[in-house]
Amino acid sequence: MNRSTLSLGGAVVVLAVLTGAASLTGGDDSAAAPKAAAATLPVQRSTVVCPAPSSSEFANTVYTSFTPSATGGGIGGTGGAQLVPTAGKATPLAPLKQTGKAATATTDKSEAPALIGTADGPLAPGWTVQQTTVVDSGPGRGLLGTSCVTPDSEFWFPGASTANGRQDYLHLVDPDEAPAVVDIELYGKDGLLKASTGDGITIPGKGAKPVLLSTLVADKVADLTVHVVVRSGRVGAAVQATDSKIGTDWLQPAAEPATSLVMPGIPADATSVHLVAYATGSDDADLTLKLATSTGLIAPAGNETLHVKAGMTATADLGDITKGEPGSLVIGSSDVHSPVPVVAGLRVTRGKGTKQELAFLPATPAIDTRATVADNRDKASTLALMAVGKDTSVKVTSSPGPSGGTTVSKTVIVKAGSTLSLQPPPPSQSSGGFAVTVEKLSGGTLYASRMLALPLGGVPMFTIQPLPDDRGMVEVPQAGADLTILNK
């Protein structure tokens, strides 16, 4: 099942209906557009879902909503973007009225619900929502960050756990009126675990359901790959992982199974990096591991390769792989003739002893055109950019939040096979949070992530969000007339 294909197909249908991209012209068929012709148009409607942030009474959550300004081919007319609680009766949060300026909302309620967000018209292309939660004390203390998820039909989460000391909840949110039905598969080092209640889970329409993974199986497994398959409808999914000793964060969906993967943006001061990979094919996967540093690719000593058995989860402890310099993990296949697709992710730890915090960095889709992360703080946000194949020119734009200010942009070159780390400058004459947009101008294949670090009480609290392409523009086939069907 291909998530991107299903999502893109849905977006194309919406575009065709709303913009009239497919037209009935009548007359001579020779006047019809060639079958291969397609127009690239901005999406007209976007939907995201945000999981319930935290049940802790010590939690404070900020929602940041943002749509970047159009860079060409914009949509005319008016539109709006807002977040609505799954209960459906409360006042919408963070209503967005214009592009290029973020809107925010906050909550400190332990019973804060999941949210369903929609954006229409000119606010739809590239719309993103960031959910950032600080839990300043208690067993779940830490910084949790996630980009609210686009609903889909399949998700992979390498790095979950049912081990003692871990409490991992899979949050499922249905944005539609009709209920969705979901199957949950858990894969350990020996393959599929028998789940007692993981099949046929119903998510109510416009509702949400958290599923504690340890209630699905009796096994205490340190490293799991979670596969979410939607039988009917669509959902958004994310895993909230809490370790009783080293903190908490959101485990976001990993990039689709592929024979080459990139995890961009391992912090320079990472004290422990743990790789979890799962082979989705019917054959074993033999992987090569490389670290993209600021100067190029190197093979990490003692961890140059990883063997992953078919249908099983494998792990590798990479330790302090970055050695004081930020980097990106690049996974390839040592079998160039029959490479096997895998999914993968990292658990990253910063700090030592009782002053540790964890975050997760899944394999990240490439940025074809543009990506945005909505909630950034001055001197607390760090971008990691990694280029494959060719040197890549990248434009980084910081846009103001509700306090106002002036947009600031800069262009950087990312050398092929290397990682460039930088702190995005805040918008001028601005205070508070701001949005950062990354645009690929030319060159090779670009990957990116953002680390937000908000240390508290000696704990290096941090979270990492991958930056996939925002899919603000899609190709819409141009259809011509075929009136011969009326004669049949």
Side-chain angles (χ1 to χ4, degrees):
M1 178 179 308
N2 189 309
R3 282 187 6 220
S4 292
T5 300
L6 291 171
S7 298
L8 186 56
V12 169
V13 170
V14 172
L15 270 169
V17 172
L18 294 179
T19 68
S23 61
L24 191 65
T25 60
D28 186 357
D29 284 347
S30 64
K35 290 183 179 180
T40 301
L41 298 173
V43 298
Q44 293 253 358
R45 184 177 178 86
S46 296
T47 300
V48 300
V49 297
C50 308
S54 174
S55 59
S56 172
E57 60 182 5
F58 303 106
N60 189 287
T61 299
V62 178
Y63 300 97
T64 308
S65 172
F66 178 77
T67 298
S69 299
T71 55
I75 304 174
T78 60
Q82 64 183 18
L83 302 165
V84 178
T86 48
K89 297 180 180 180
T91 303
L93 302 177
L96 192 64
K97 302 297 184 182
Q98 66 183 78
T99 63
K101 183 179 179 181
T104 62
T106 62
T107 182
D108 59 1
K109 296 180 179 178
S110 60
E111 69 276 13
L115 303 177
I116 299 170
T118 56
D120 298 288
L123 293 176
W127 182 53
T128 186
V129 179
Q130 172 76 17
Q131 175 178 299
T132 306
T133 302
V134 174
V135 181
D136 58 18
S137 60
R141 69 104 178 100
L143 175 63
L144 302 94
T146 181
S147 296
C148 295
V149 184
T150 301
D152 217 323
S153 58
E154 185 182 29
F155 299 90
W156 292 94
F157 299 97
S161 178
T162 57
N164 291 326
R166 276 283 289 267
Q167 189 176 62
D168 288 19
Y169 279 92
L170 172 64
H171 287 251
L172 302 167
V173 185
D174 180 358
D176 301 318
E177 296 288 350
V181 180
V182 172
D183 292 337
I184 303 171
E185 300 166 348
L186 307 178
Y187 294 91
K189 62 182 180 62
D190 298 318
L192 180 65
L193 278 65
K194 183 174 177 57
S196 58
T197 57
D199 289 339
I201 295 176
T202 299
I203 317 302
K206 299 287 186 181
K209 177 172 286 190
V211 179
L212 181 59
L213 296 182
S214 61
T215 64
L216 300 181
V217 293
D219 308 68
K220 300 297 182 182
V221 181
D223 297 289
L224 285 173
T225 300
V226 179
H227 187 204
V228 177
V229 181
V230 184
R231 289 192 200 177
S232 63
R234 58 177 184 161
V235 301
V239 174
Q240 188 181 81
T242 300
D243 188 294
S244 60
K245 295 182 179 179
I246 57 173
T248 181
D249 205 354
W250 288 102
L251 176 56
Q252 296 187 204
E256 292 182 357
T259 56
S260 61
L261 297 170
V262 175
M263 281 143 276
I266 305 172
D269 61 351
T271 52
S272 174
V273 178
H274 185 72
L275 170 65
V276 180
Y278 171 80
T280 61
S282 57
D283 297 318
D284 293 0
D286 287 300
L287 306 178
T288 59
L289 308 182
K290 293 185 178 180
L291 182 69
T293 68
S294 62
T295 56
L297 291 167
I298 62 172
N303 286 291
E304 299 89 349
T305 62
L306 179 65
H307 180 76
V308 187
K309 294 181 179 180
M312 301 182 188
T313 295
T315 64
D317 284 314
L318 307 179
D320 58 343
I321 184 174
T322 52
K323 305 294 183 183
E325 181 181 0
S328 302
L329 189 68
V330 181
I331 293 180
S333 176
S334 59
D335 187 347
V336 296
H337 300 292
S338 301
V340 175
V342 297
V343 293
L346 299 176
R347 184 183 73 237
V348 180
T349 305
R350 297 172 68 223
K352 296 180 179 179
T354 60
K355 303 294 186 180
Q356 295 185 70
E357 166 73 319
L358 63 79
F360 296 91
L361 176 58
T364 304
I367 299 175
D368 295 324
T369 304
R370 182 182 67 179
T372 297
V373 61
D375 182 11
N376 296 275
R377 321 285 174 88
D378 187 18
K379 299 180 181 179
S381 294
T382 303
L383 280 180
L385 307 174
M386 193 271 163
V388 174
K390 299 179 181 178
D391 292 358
T392 303
S393 177
V394 180
K395 182 180 179 181
V396 177
T397 301
S398 298
S399 301
S403 64
T406 303
T407 296
V408 173
S409 296
K410 65 182 298 184
T411 299
V412 297
I413 301 296
V414 186
K415 297 293 185 181
S418 72
T419 298
L420 176 63
S421 177
L422 71 154
Q423 288 191 338
S428 61
Q429 300 176 334
S430 177
S431 62
F434 58 96
V436 173
T437 300
V438 174
E439 296 177 71
K440 190 184 85 168
L441 302 179
S442 63
T445 304
L446 177 67
Y447 300 86
S449 70
R450 187 287 313 265
M451 182 178 78
L452 179 65
L454 300 176
L456 181 66
V459 178
M461 292 186 178
F462 75 115
T463 182
I464 305 173
Q465 271 69 68
L467 271 67
D469 191 86
D470 65 20
R471 297 180 186 173
M473 305 290 287
V474 293
E475 288 189 354
V476 182
Q478 295 182 5
D482 183 6
L483 300 183
T484 59
I485 61 173
L486 299 178
N487 298 325
K488 295 180 180 179

